[in-house]
Amino acid sequence: MKVAVLGSLNMDLVMEVERLPRPGETVPGKGFTRYPGGKGNNQAIAAARLGAKVSLFGHVGDDSFGEELLRVAREAGVDASGVERIPGVPTGVALILVAPDGQNQIAYAPGANGRVSEAYVERVLPVLREADVLLLQLEVPLAPLAFLLRKLPEERPLVILDPAPVRDLSSLPLARVDFLTPNREELGHLVGGAVTGRDALLQAARALLATGISHLVVKADKDGAFLAESGGVTRFPAYRVDAVDATAAGDAFNAALAVMLAEGRGPYEAIGYANAAAAIAVTRRGAASSLPTREEVQEFLRHPSARQRAA
Ligand code: RIB
């Protein structure tokens, strides 16, 4: 089964802080570390660790961060030969603050990710259209994503779009998206208002399903995940674990969903599996470094209570 990813590669510069700062505030930091990241890169590495044959597409600069990101992706088993290096442009960088409860704040400078273009998509289209599942996120420009979605054949690949960082999606042909996977904040942004209770979730789901998306999967952190289809909404409870860093948990989730769907599993099984992959990722620091292998997810699912924090 083949998974293709078109997305970002970032070097993450991460500081642990006592708490996340408010606007204008300075807070003391503790450790400072550099981790390979970027939503596209994380999802590609996660899918490879979960057993898929993965091709990653995107851009890095011709600097040492780009070199390192490509090396780490290759070492994880990802085919990154389609990632192009853009001369004179820096590789994408993310600044990440992580609080003791694992919650984070992220700002990123796209650098080379911002150079992904329609011409590039045209060049790599023959590989993208052969994938069983295609993973997309929003750390690259929207125009080439819209172009790609319009060019894809109806029957394949299945498309999973992670609307992060959230943006207005009205320029995208959403009827070509099979799974849209916002978190709660992103969902609120997409429908123009906070989504707090179940009724608000149902209303938001109805609005998004009306755009032609077939499945809406809401990643709701400690509340688990929700699947909204035309038939209604189903909740998948979260695993309770000791969180140290939520970075890339959403990427682990999307990659696991992709791998399961590529293997022909149904959405219910795939989302349960994705919840487990995300739960493991939040117990580890960093982005790519936190992503579990297939064996680790299987072990977790065999003995979930052993890994979960006591209630
Ligand atoms: O989803 C986590 C990722 O978001 C980080 O690795 C960072 O690079 C930002 O893009």
Side-chain angles (χ1 to χ4, degrees), residues 12 14 35-36 42 98 244-249 281 284-291:
D12 291 353
V14 183
Y35 294 107
N42 295 340
V98 183
V244 298
D245 184 352
T247 310
R284 300 169 178 176
R285 295 199 181 279
S289 51
S290 72
L291 303 166

Side-chain angles (χ1 to χ4, degrees), residues 8 10 12 37-39 42 94 96 106 108 139 247-248 251 287:
S8 58
N10 294 334
D12 291 353
K39 295 182 195 300
N42 295 340
I96 304 183
I106 304 181
Y108 88 107
E139 285 186 331
T247 310
D251 298 326

Side-chain angles (χ1 to χ4, degrees), residues 4-307:
V5 184
L6 172 67
S8 58
L9 298 96
N10 294 334
M11 187 57 78
D12 291 353
L13 308 179
V14 183
M15 189 178 290
E16 291 167 48
V17 288
E18 287 172 6
R19 62 183 172 77
L20 299 177
R22 287 185 289 269
E25 192 185 21
T26 303
V27 296
K30 292 193 278 175
F32 174 72
T33 324
R34 207 175 73 194
Y35 294 107
K39 295 182 195 300
N41 187 33
N42 295 340
Q43 293 185 15
I45 291 176
R49 287 195 183 146
L50 294 171
K53 189 169 184 303
V54 183
S55 308
L56 171 63
F57 297 92
H59 291 342
V60 292
D62 60 350
D63 50 15
S64 61
F65 282 175
E67 186 72 50
E68 190 176 334
L69 288 168
L70 289 177
R71 179 179 53 74
V72 172
R74 275 191 231 109
E75 284 171 3
V78 171
D79 177 356
S81 57
V83 176
E84 293 183 357
R85 306 194 68 176
I86 310 296
V89 178
T91 294
V93 169
L95 296 180
I96 304 183
L97 300 179
V98 183
D101 64 357
Q103 292 305 305
N104 62 21
Q105 276 177 352
I106 304 181
Y108 88 107
N113 298 306
R115 299 296 183 99
V116 170
S117 63
E118 297 182 15
Y120 173 68
V121 169
E122 187 91 65
R123 284 200 289 286
V124 299
L125 193 59
V127 185
L128 294 177
R129 58 189 298 160
E130 285 308 311
D132 297 303
V133 178
L134 173 60
L135 282 164
L136 304 173
Q137 322 76 33
L138 300 182
E139 285 186 331
V140 295
L142 283 179
L145 295 183
F147 175 78
L148 168 61
L149 290 172
R150 288 199 181 90
K151 288 273 182 172
L152 287 175
E154 273 301 317
E155 64 285 2
R156 215 175 61 151
L158 191 120
V159 176
I160 302 178
L161 173 63
D162 189 1
V166 70
R167 283 194 269 164
D168 175 12
L169 301 183
S170 56
S171 63
L172 298 183
L174 292 176
R176 193 56 194 83
V177 172
D178 298 285
F179 286 79
L180 184 77
T181 63
N183 62 28
R184 226 190 254 274
E185 288 68 36
E186 289 154 0
L187 178 62
H189 191 99
L190 291 174
V191 297
V195 180
T196 41
R198 198 178 169 90
D199 286 349
L201 180 72
L202 276 170
Q203 215 179 334
R206 262 187 232 116
L208 283 169
L209 293 174
T211 64
I213 293 160
S214 17
H215 304 82
L216 174 72
V217 179
V218 183
K219 297 179 276 193
D221 197 11
K222 294 189 177 78
D223 290 334
F226 294 86
L227 168 66
E229 306 160 286
S230 51
V233 175
T234 311
R235 176 168 172 255
F236 300 77
Y239 294 97
R240 283 191 302 269
V241 291
D242 285 318
V244 298
D245 184 352
T247 310
D251 298 326
F253 184 100
N254 276 47
L257 183 67
V259 173
M260 289 293 105
L261 293 172
E263 289 181 8
R265 317 294 178 101
Y268 289 78
E269 189 182 350
I271 293 171
Y273 189 86
N275 259 350
I280 298 172
V282 300
T283 64
R284 300 169 178 176
R285 295 199 181 279
S289 51
S290 72
L291 303 166
T293 62
R294 190 172 185 106
E295 292 66 37
E296 287 169 333
V297 178
Q298 272 159 354
E299 180 61 18
F300 183 95
L301 286 169
R302 263 197 296 274
H303 308 288
S305 54
R307 307 298 169 99

